[in-house]
Amino acid sequence: MNKLKFFVGTKLLAGVFCLSAHVVFAQTAAQIEAAKDILAKVPAAEMASKSAELVANAPAKERAAVASATAQVVASIYPDVASATVVAISLRVPVVAPAAAAAAAAKLPNSAGEIAVAAAKVPGVRVGDVRPAVIAAVPSQAGQVVAALKRANLSSSLNPATAGTSVAVAGAPANSNKTGIF
């Protein structure tokens, strides 16, 4: 019976979010309220997993909007689990990580760097997508976001041209065949 209620709630939330995946912050007050109604009944310890489940169960075109609304609600209700929620959502649906991180950062601007790092560390999530989304959500924290990503050793991902270059290949002479055994 509990699963049935959750499934109906998920369908209700997904139905409420009829936005394009490219529109992150265009939720109406009614849509945010729908997310609050569903998530208000969830204990803090289960918030991250339930939020990720809501996003994963949403139709593909609506996942970014659902991720954004869910992250906003969680950041408002339980700010202590906002980063964990962004990570859980990003693990289930990596493509919506920028939307979730930006929405949570917008509600918790002093934690924007921490939230960006949490999302960017998830396998399959591109730092180059998370960084601009979070900075756009909280422009006043741009320096904090960039510094946090740099401290987290994600800076190599900020410049895709240098990412993946090994020391052995980089140090090999131009005329060598680079087939030595180390």
Side-chain angles (χ1 to χ4, degrees):
M1 184 71 175
N2 218 358
K3 280 189 174 188
L4 178 61
K5 285 183 182 179
F6 182 74
F7 181 73
V8 170
T10 302
K11 286 293 194 180
L12 173 67
L13 182 62
V16 171
F17 298 107
C18 297
L19 299 175
S20 166
H22 300 290
V23 179
V24 177
F25 295 110
Q27 295 86 24
T28 65
Q31 292 166 329
I32 299 295
E33 283 301 315
K36 280 183 185 177
D37 289 344
I38 292 170
L39 294 174
K41 300 170 184 127
V42 177
E46 297 175 17
M47 188 62 69
S49 64
K50 293 295 183 184
S51 297
E53 191 171 335
L54 284 173
V55 174
N57 290 336
K61 288 185 176 183
E62 299 170 10
R63 285 184 180 155
V66 173
S68 178
T70 303
Q72 285 179 359
V73 170
V74 172
S76 297
I77 297 173
Y78 298 114
D80 293 344
V81 296
S83 288
T85 300
V86 169
V87 169
I89 290 170
S90 301
L91 282 167
R92 290 283 296 265
V93 188
V95 72
V96 301
K107 286 290 184 184
L108 302 169
N110 291 335
S111 299
E114 173 189 335
I115 293 167
V117 168
K121 282 188 170 184
V122 173
V125 175
R126 293 182 35 196
V127 176
D129 293 338
V130 173
R131 187 188 69 234
V134 173
I135 290 172
V138 192
S140 64
Q141 298 296 327
Q144 178 198 30
V145 171
V146 171
L149 289 169
K150 191 176 234 180
R151 280 191 309 272
N153 292 326
L154 297 170
S155 60
S156 63
S157 299
L158 297 176
N159 184 0
T162 61
T165 304
S166 72
V167 174
V169 173
N175 60 355
S176 74
N177 61 9
K178 300 176 191 162
T179 59
I181 299 174
F182 295 98

